[in-house]
């Protein structure tokens, strides 16, 4: 089936053709006609399924009639993280290039004044993270009563980040007759409650079960007994031995992200880190460098990497077994995209047992065991001389100079405001952590290893 039968305008079909899409993905097939008919949508889909286009495309056509008024956006797309918001803005530019619609991005980490100017000019599509949007609303910079279409993307992630009360607040500021589209990879009860109260007779669209992973991903589990030093040794061994073109390494905590990246750099790997303590501009720069192949290895936390559209990642490494099994699906979903082959390796020591048991139960099947040589499991087991050279065409390692060049790219911010302002924790456990962390902040102004943040932020 081609895009021609979905009811989209000629302008959009031309933009879709330019994007190189031949046929709609299942979520696009199921969602686009219903959105064009004005129906609410409850989409259960993970990233990588083409869900962004499933709401962006019809939205552009619906909004093509009419004009925006100052400070009164005509549509609102809520995203849990700045990167996702920026990515949706990119999609909007790509698909909306033949339309005259205007788009503005309200995210933390960038100047308020520029955002106010954009709002003043009138905005058809407003893409925002909840925290920054509420800040602007509080200052009277934006009014939501002109919003005709609301999109809440990654609702389960919003829940993880404590945004549900913010979403409720925002939804209450909208006019009664808003068309609402909610997307979530999973449907925890809190998200279900939210969708039950805000969606009117939604069309439910589910494109893959939350436990499913792409068939193109080969998944391996490396089980071992030992400390993080051994874990890093195993990681280096896999990076060297497997045909790694580029990789994302996921850690459960920001602290680990920093340690693993530092260690990889010390071993001359071409790596960079991505986590919530970095300034927005640096996060974007790191991401672009990774997309453009300047950086081969990205060490990331879940929050920072969630939903990032990075085509062609050959390998995913779970340095830690994720504490939330659903994150495993999101993590390994960064590879094996669009029918391409990918591999994932999950490292599990005796300390990961609890999470591993939870993950296997969630997946409903075992992950194939992958054995590494005994020497790799012994302290000091791989030395430079023993390590084999990585592939010549796609070196994952730096030359000495390249390593120096990258080092400026990953700077740490002085203040944690970049992520903290986006996060409104609601769970009691998190509040407790937050208080503890606030105390730490008072004592220690400069952000060090991220241990001032609630645990769930460091995932
Ligand atoms: P998303 O799930 O929205 O993050 O999209 C994942 C990737 O699929 C993005 O790189 C899109 O550009 C791409 N994509 C979206 N729709 C299609 C399509 N119909 N055909 C091919 N690629 C697509």
């Amino acid at each position: 089936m081609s895009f021609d039968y979905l009811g989209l305008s000629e302008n959009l079909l031309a933009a879709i053709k330019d994007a190189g899409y031949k046929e709609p993905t299942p979520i696009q097939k199921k969602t686009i006609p219903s959105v064009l008919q004005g129906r609410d949508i409850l989409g259960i889909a993970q990233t990588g399924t083409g869900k962004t286009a499933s709401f962006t495309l019809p939205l552009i056509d619906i909004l093509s009639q009419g004009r925006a008024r100052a400070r009164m956006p005509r549509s609102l797309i809520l995203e849990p993280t700045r990167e996702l918001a920026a990515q949706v803005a990119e999609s909007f530019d790509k698909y909306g290039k033949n339309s005259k619609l205007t788009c503005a991005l309200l995210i933390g980490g960038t100047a308020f004044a520029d955002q106010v100017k954009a709002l003043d000019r009138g905005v058809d599509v407003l893409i925002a993270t909840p925290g920054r949007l509420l800040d602007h609303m509080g200052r009277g910079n934006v009014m939501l009563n002109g919003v005709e279409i609301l999109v809440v993307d990654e609702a389960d992630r919003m829940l993880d980040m404590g945004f549900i009360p913010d979403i409720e607040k925002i939804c209450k500021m909208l006019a009664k007759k808003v068309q609402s589209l909610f997307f979530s990879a999973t449907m925890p009860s809190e998200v279900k409650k939210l969708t039950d109260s805000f969606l009117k007779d939604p069309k439910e669209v589910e494109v893959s079960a939350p436990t499913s992973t792409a068939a193109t991903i080969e998944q391996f589990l490396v089980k071992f007994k030992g400390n993080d030093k051994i874990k890093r040794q195993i990681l280096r061994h896999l990076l060297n031995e497997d045909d790694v073109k580029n990789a994302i390494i996921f850690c459960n905590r920001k602290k680990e992200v920093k340690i693993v990246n530092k260690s990889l750099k010390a071993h001359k790997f071409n790596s960079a880190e991505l986590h919530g303590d970095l300034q927005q501009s640096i996060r974007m720069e790191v991401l672009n460098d990774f997309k453009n192949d300047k950086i081969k290895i990205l060490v990331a936390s879940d929050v920072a990497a969630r939903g990032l559209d990075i085509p062609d990642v050959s390998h995913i490494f779970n340095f830690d077994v994720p504490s939330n099994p659903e994150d495993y699906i999101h993590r390994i979903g960064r590879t094996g995209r669009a029918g391409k082959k990918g591999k994932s390796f999950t490292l599990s020591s005796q300390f990961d047992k609890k999470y591993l048991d939870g993950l296997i139960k969630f997946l409903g099947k075992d992950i194939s065991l992958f054995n590494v040589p005994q020497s790799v499991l012994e302290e000091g087991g791989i030395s430079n001389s023993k390590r084999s050279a990585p592939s010549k065409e796609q070196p994952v390692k730096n030359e000495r100079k390249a390593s120096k060049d990258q080092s400026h790219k990953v700077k740490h911010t002085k203040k944690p405001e970049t992520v903290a302002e986006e996060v409104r924790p609601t769970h009691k456990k998190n509040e407790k952590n937050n208080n503890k962390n606030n105390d730490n902040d008072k004592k220690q102004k400069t952000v060090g290893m991220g241990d001032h943040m609630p645990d769930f932020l460091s995932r």
Side-chain angles (χ1 to χ4, degrees):
M1 182 191 177
S2 86
F3 274 99
D4 296 354
Y5 303 100
L6 298 180
L8 296 167
S9 68
E10 290 298 322
N11 270 351
L12 267 184
L13 292 176
I16 291 167
K17 199 167 164 217
D18 290 348
Y21 303 165
K22 302 250 171 334
E23 57 175 51
T25 64
I27 183 121
Q28 292 163 359
K29 263 184 233 167
K30 292 178 189 171
T31 306
I32 292 172
S34 301
V35 179
L36 289 173
Q37 283 163 14
R39 279 194 73 176
D40 282 5
I41 299 286
L42 177 55
I44 303 171
Q46 53 198 73
T47 49
T49 55
K51 76 176 156 65
T52 314
S54 80
F55 61 79
T56 317
L57 291 171
L59 195 124
I60 291 170
D61 263 354
I62 292 171
L63 296 176
S64 64
Q65 308 292 324
R67 282 191 59 188
R69 303 210 318 246
R71 301 193 177 208
M72 290 183 73
R74 298 172 63 210
S75 66
L76 174 64
I77 300 174
L78 292 173
E79 292 289 336
T81 66
R82 296 157 191 190
E83 282 80 5
L84 278 171
Q87 221 163 265
V88 172
E90 268 175 37
S91 302
F92 176 79
D93 288 344
K94 181 161 71 177
Y95 308 134
K97 64 180 191 173
N98 300 325
S99 81
K100 292 199 175 74
L101 298 177
T102 53
C103 168
L105 197 54
L106 296 191
I107 53 176
T110 49
F112 265 90
D114 293 342
Q115 296 176 352
V116 173
K117 264 191 223 154
L119 289 166
D120 277 346
R121 283 196 294 268
V123 170
D124 295 298
V125 182
L126 184 63
I127 304 164
T129 49
R132 182 51 73 106
L133 176 64
L134 282 172
D135 280 349
H136 275 287
M137 285 164 68
R139 293 168 194 219
N141 296 337
V142 60
M143 284 168 290
L144 299 185
N145 41 339
V147 170
E148 297 159 36
I149 305 175
L150 166 75
V151 179
V152 178
D153 196 16
E154 303 260 337
D156 51 351
R157 201 53 173 182
M158 299 276 196
L159 171 73
D160 287 351
M161 294 178 73
F163 281 148
I164 296 295
D166 285 354
I167 307 268
E168 280 170 344
K169 239 183 261 171
I170 292 166
C171 285
K172 283 182 185 146
M173 303 304 284
L174 300 169
K176 288 237 155 51
K177 259 185 75 193
V178 170
Q179 183 182 4
S180 304
L181 323 175
F182 275 59
F183 292 88
S184 195
T186 57
M187 202 38 74
S189 58
E190 292 91 335
V191 173
K192 176 93 181 60
K193 223 171 99 194
L194 183 75
T195 56
D196 283 349
S197 63
F198 287 106
L199 295 178
K200 291 168 248 59
D201 184 29
K203 168 151 184 199
E204 291 193 21
V205 177
E206 184 165 357
V207 292
S208 63
T211 56
S212 68
T213 50
T216 45
I217 308 170
E218 278 186 276
Q219 301 170 51
F220 298 105
L221 176 68
V222 182
K223 269 177 120 171
F224 70 100
K225 280 210 172 94
N227 55 23
D228 277 4
K229 205 171 163 195
I230 300 287
K231 227 184 202 183
R232 292 195 291 273
Q233 213 162 263
I234 297 172
L235 178 68
R236 293 199 299 276
H237 169 79
L238 294 170
L239 284 168
N240 279 326
E241 295 299 315
D242 217 65
D243 185 20
V244 179
K245 293 197 169 51
N246 58 356
I248 307 179
I249 299 167
F250 284 99
C251 302
N252 285 0
R253 298 163 156 269
K254 278 183 279 193
K255 191 173 159 180
E256 254 104 53
V257 169
K258 294 173 189 179
I259 295 171
V260 170
N261 182 41
K262 203 170 157 196
S263 153
L264 287 174
K265 277 175 170 296
H267 284 85
K268 307 286 181 284
F269 284 92
N270 180 358
S271 68
E273 59 196 49
L274 190 74
H275 54 76
D277 277 355
L278 299 173
Q279 275 172 355
Q280 173 67 8
S281 57
I282 293 171
R283 280 156 74 169
M284 291 297 195
E285 195 185 342
V286 167
L287 203 56
N288 275 335
D289 284 352
F290 187 65
K291 280 186 184 173
N292 298 331
D293 247 13
K294 274 199 213 164
I295 291 168
K296 297 286 184 189
I297 301 173
L298 195 62
V299 191
S301 64
D302 290 294
V303 166
R306 181 69 174 254
L308 295 183
D309 180 25
I310 304 163
D312 273 341
V313 179
S314 78
H315 283 68
I316 296 295
F317 294 92
N318 292 314
F319 187 78
D320 303 302
V321 180
S323 51
N324 174 3
E326 283 150 20
D327 282 338
Y328 179 82
I329 307 292
H330 288 286
R331 287 179 179 187
I332 74 167
R334 314 293 96 219
T335 186
R337 288 187 153 198
K340 294 209 172 84
K341 287 216 163 116
K343 273 190 193 176
S344 78
F345 288 90
T346 300
L347 310 190
S348 176
S349 76
Q350 68 277 28
F351 305 113
D352 295 292
K353 187 177 178 321
K354 191 177 96 192
Y355 293 151
L356 181 65
D357 290 348
L359 174 63
I360 301 294
K361 199 167 156 207
F362 176 80
L363 295 174
K365 59 176 186 197
D366 285 332
I367 307 171
S368 308
L369 283 178
F370 187 92
N371 294 322
V372 293
Q374 184 57 32
S375 62
V376 178
L377 302 173
E378 287 160 8
E379 240 174 87
I382 49 168
S383 64
N384 277 332
S385 56
K386 276 188 191 166
R387 220 181 292 134
S388 63
S391 133
K392 282 220 171 72
E393 307 107 80
Q394 299 281 348
V396 288
K397 277 201 177 167
N398 279 324
E399 296 304 319
R400 188 169 285 278
K401 184 176 166 296
S403 150
K404 267 188 194 158
D405 288 345
Q406 295 300 340
S407 61
H408 74 279
K409 300 224 177 282
V410 184
K411 286 183 203 146
H412 299 187
T413 55
K414 286 233 167 77
K415 282 170 76 191
E417 102 282 282
T418 51
V419 155
E421 72 188 359
E422 282 178 15
V423 174
R424 321 259 148 148
T426 51
H427 307 307
K428 281 222 162 72
K429 188 177 91 194
N430 295 335
E431 272 168 21
K432 207 170 128 210
N433 283 343
N434 235 13
N435 291 341
K436 189 177 88 197
N437 293 322
N438 285 344
D439 289 349
N440 281 350
D441 272 356
K442 271 177 220 150
K443 277 183 226 138
Q444 185 191 340
K445 279 252 152 39
T446 307
V447 177
M449 301 303 277
D451 45 359
H452 62 292
M453 299 296 278
D455 283 354
F456 74 99
L457 278 184
S458 14
R459 279 196 272 116

